[in-house]
Amino acid sequence: MFEQQAKEKVSAIPWVKGVDVKMTAQPAKPLIADDVPAGLKKVSNIVAVSSCKGGVGKSTVAVNLAYSLAQMGARVGIFDADIYGPSLPTMVSPDVRVLQMNPETRAIIPTEYLGVKLVSFGYAGQGSAIMRGPMVSGVINQFLTTTDWGELDYLVIDMPPGTGDIQLTLCQVVPLTAAVIVTTPQKLAFIDVAKGVRMFSKLKVPCIAVVENMCFFEGDDKRYYPFGQGSGAQVVQQFGIPNLFELPIRPELSAAGDTGNPEVVVDPQGQVADIFSNIGVCVVQQCAKLRQQVSTAVMYDRAINAIRVKVPGTTEEFLLHPATVRRNDRSAKSIDEWSGEQKLRYTDIAENIEPESIRPMGNYAVAINWPDGFSQIAPYDQLASLERLVDVPEPVPVPENIVASTDSSPIKDAGAAAILSHARRLQT
Ligand SMILES: Nc1ncnc2c1ncn2[C@@H]1O[C@H](COP(=O)(O)OP(=O)(O)OP(=O)(O)O)[C@@H](O)[C@H]1O
């Protein structure tokens, strides 16, 4: 679309004789915080594929989605987080079927199939042991975080089925960008999906799509819906999830999975590949949108000396005085961890303090750097609970023919007015 429009627009200029458009892309930098495990630092987007019940086709969706993204040119990895019944070794057939370890860094090196990096317990070279929940969580997290994933655009996590402790801790260890929920069309499945959506929403991970698997089959030029229709649409409506995809029941999909070659690779022009390509486009677009929302969620507006907060996923927007944010730091530097006693005093922070930089940390917090070298982690929940600035005059827009950098520019005047108004409000 870009290419075509660029060609049209440039060709329309009377003196242009020919147009040659070269398209390039800059991979988005990871939005991930500093405390993320080293092996995940160069991963731009982490997408969880989840279902609340086993056997609904979650692994089939995860694997085909991953290969569909790879077919679009993205660098992709799959982490099969199911320790009891890993599916990846059956669904893809890499030449090297045992994971190696880098002897120096002691990091796990993923194996690869058709350019997609793969990690699964099925490649760990041992039968799956009998483990209790906390042990399983520990092993899954260790596996995921000690793998050197290298530079990836998308890491697809095939989550273990359910919404218990294992899933919760996994979601807390890695900063998930988004979740895709897989379900089947039965009415009963709706209840399970609701559980999944609630789990992700508690963790502030947006669900970007619902894939309703085994929806229909085709015969006599007709589509049959053996399990009925409408459950997926109900999920989309009730939880505001923007996208619903219907996958057919197809023997090829099952056969491809069993023979170690994903269906989108076996038949890249087929109906199933087409649906997965749409799911892939949706993931790409939604992740980009979320990154945009997150990266502009908290910004310092120098013109009015206020921190602007737009909580991602909501329409709420409010203003905070920078000094209020800094004074309400909840870290051990400001509050004694044991006694709860306030160590940071109100007067320690100058009234006119300004943040130096603000960076998003996953979907839940921002890291704010202050001129005194302090790096504050401020969760959105906490920002939302602080005293807000009200009646802050918006800066007067600069007319186009006025250069904004002169000393008497309207922006600076409006800024001064805003500061005065803050001062007055704070005094009262
Ligand atoms: N749309 C489909 N048409 C036909 N067969 C399918 C379809 N989706 C999945 N299957 C088959 O159903 C079985 C279960 O699928 P899959 O392993 O993807 O489910 P799962 O939800 O990941 O299961 P688990 O929770 O046990 O890991 C597989 O044999 C798979 O090939």
Side-chain angles (χ1 to χ4, degrees):
M1 218 190 279
F2 282 135
E3 190 175 347
Q4 189 196 338
Q5 288 187 3
K7 267 190 182 149
E8 275 171 20
K9 293 261 188 298
V10 179
S11 310
I13 302 170
W15 47 263
V16 169
K17 294 199 173 67
V19 182
D20 180 21
V21 178
K22 271 202 189 77
M23 304 283 288
T24 62
Q26 299 281 318
K29 288 210 180 68
L31 274 182
I32 290 171
D34 296 338
D35 57 350
V36 154
L40 288 167
K41 277 211 157 85
K42 288 182 262 168
V43 177
S44 296
N45 301 285
I46 306 180
V47 179
V49 177
S50 164
S51 73
C52 302
K53 263 202 252 196
V56 297
K58 169 183 50 62
S59 302
T60 306
V61 171
V63 168
N64 282 284
L65 166 64
Y67 278 87
S68 203
L69 289 167
Q71 284 169 341
M72 293 177 197
R75 293 163 300 180
V76 183
I78 307 175
F79 178 67
D80 173 10
D82 199 340
I83 202 162
Y84 294 119
S87 316
L88 205 56
T90 322
M91 294 193 164
V92 282
S93 36
D95 291 336
V96 181
R97 296 184 70 85
V98 179
L99 295 170
Q100 310 290 323
M101 189 187 269
N102 181 328
E104 275 171 32
T105 59
R106 306 194 62 77
I108 296 167
I109 306 165
T111 184
E112 257 185 65
Y113 181 62
L114 303 176
V116 173
K117 293 185 176 171
L118 312 166
V119 172
S120 164
F121 297 101
Y123 302 133
Q126 285 167 357
S128 69
I130 299 169
M131 283 187 258
R132 281 187 294 147
M135 267 171 91
V136 174
S137 279
V139 173
I140 294 175
N141 297 342
Q142 202 184 359
F143 239 77
L144 176 57
T145 56
T146 53
T147 296
D148 183 5
W149 291 99
E151 284 190 21
L152 287 185
D153 298 310
Y154 299 93
L155 174 63
V156 176
I157 301 189
D158 181 358
M159 298 280 289
T163 49
D165 276 354
I166 298 171
Q167 293 73 13
L168 262 174
T169 38
L170 180 56
C171 293
Q172 281 160 342
V173 167
V174 289
L176 295 176
T177 315
V180 171
I181 293 199
V182 184
T183 182
T184 46
Q186 290 92 334
K187 287 251 168 340
L188 261 181
F190 174 79
I191 301 160
D192 288 308
V193 173
K195 267 194 225 157
V197 177
R198 282 201 195 99
M199 176 184 82
F200 284 115
S201 102
K202 247 189 235 154
L203 296 163
K204 304 233 161 25
V205 177
C207 293
I208 51 173
V210 171
V211 179
E212 221 178 348
N213 190 22
M214 307 193 229
C215 257
F216 61 88
F217 62 88
E218 280 158 348
D220 317 328
D221 294 328
K222 262 171 70 182
R223 231 174 226 200
Y224 297 91
Y225 288 84
F227 307 114
Q229 274 178 284
S231 262
Q234 199 183 343
V235 174
V236 169
Q237 233 175 22
Q238 190 152 337
F239 297 103
I241 300 175
N243 303 287
L244 172 68
F245 297 92
E246 291 186 348
L247 271 174
I249 303 170
R250 290 285 287 270
E252 305 92 289
L253 200 48
S254 178
D258 290 345
T259 51
N261 231 352
E263 170 69 4
V264 297
V265 172
V266 175
D267 185 9
Q269 308 302 329
Q271 183 196 27
V272 169
D274 218 37
I275 299 169
F276 275 106
S277 145
N278 290 337
I279 304 174
V281 168
C282 161
V283 166
V284 170
Q285 288 178 341
Q286 293 294 324
C287 284
K289 210 166 133 187
L290 287 167
R291 295 173 63 88
Q292 178 66 22
Q293 271 179 7
V294 168
S295 62
T296 56
V298 181
M299 288 196 306
Y300 178 53
D301 192 335
R302 182 158 284 122
I304 54 170
N305 185 30
I307 293 177
R308 255 181 214 282
V309 184
K310 279 188 245 170
V311 180
T314 69
T315 50
E316 196 186 10
E317 188 175 340
F318 53 88
L319 298 172
L320 298 171
H321 188 47
T324 307
V325 175
R326 178 69 176 85
R327 284 176 183 139
N328 280 282
D329 172 52
R330 315 294 306 160
S331 73
K333 280 221 170 113
S334 307
I335 291 178
D336 188 282
E337 274 179 283
W338 299 105
S339 63
E341 185 199 331
Q342 185 77 34
K343 290 199 281 186
L344 181 78
R345 285 182 313 254
Y346 190 88
T347 47
D348 290 345
I349 304 299
E351 194 58 39
N352 59 354
I353 193 167
E354 292 182 48
E356 272 183 349
S357 68
I358 304 181
R359 270 174 316 116
M361 292 185 64
N363 293 326
Y364 71 96
V366 282
I368 307 174
N369 285 327
W370 297 99
D372 56 2
F374 182 66
S375 177
Q376 178 180 355
I377 309 294
Y380 293 127
D381 283 351
Q382 196 215 341
L383 292 177
S385 70
L386 297 180
E387 190 198 5
R388 297 173 185 190
L389 288 172
V390 285
D391 300 332
V392 180
E394 286 291 326
V396 181
V398 190
E400 269 174 30
N401 54 354
I402 292 183
V403 180
S405 62
T406 55
D407 273 350
S408 58
S409 81
I411 282 196
K412 284 204 172 156
D413 290 346
I419 293 164
L420 279 175
S421 126
H422 295 170
R424 259 181 246 123
R425 206 181 53 75
L426 286 164
Q427 276 165 8
T428 52

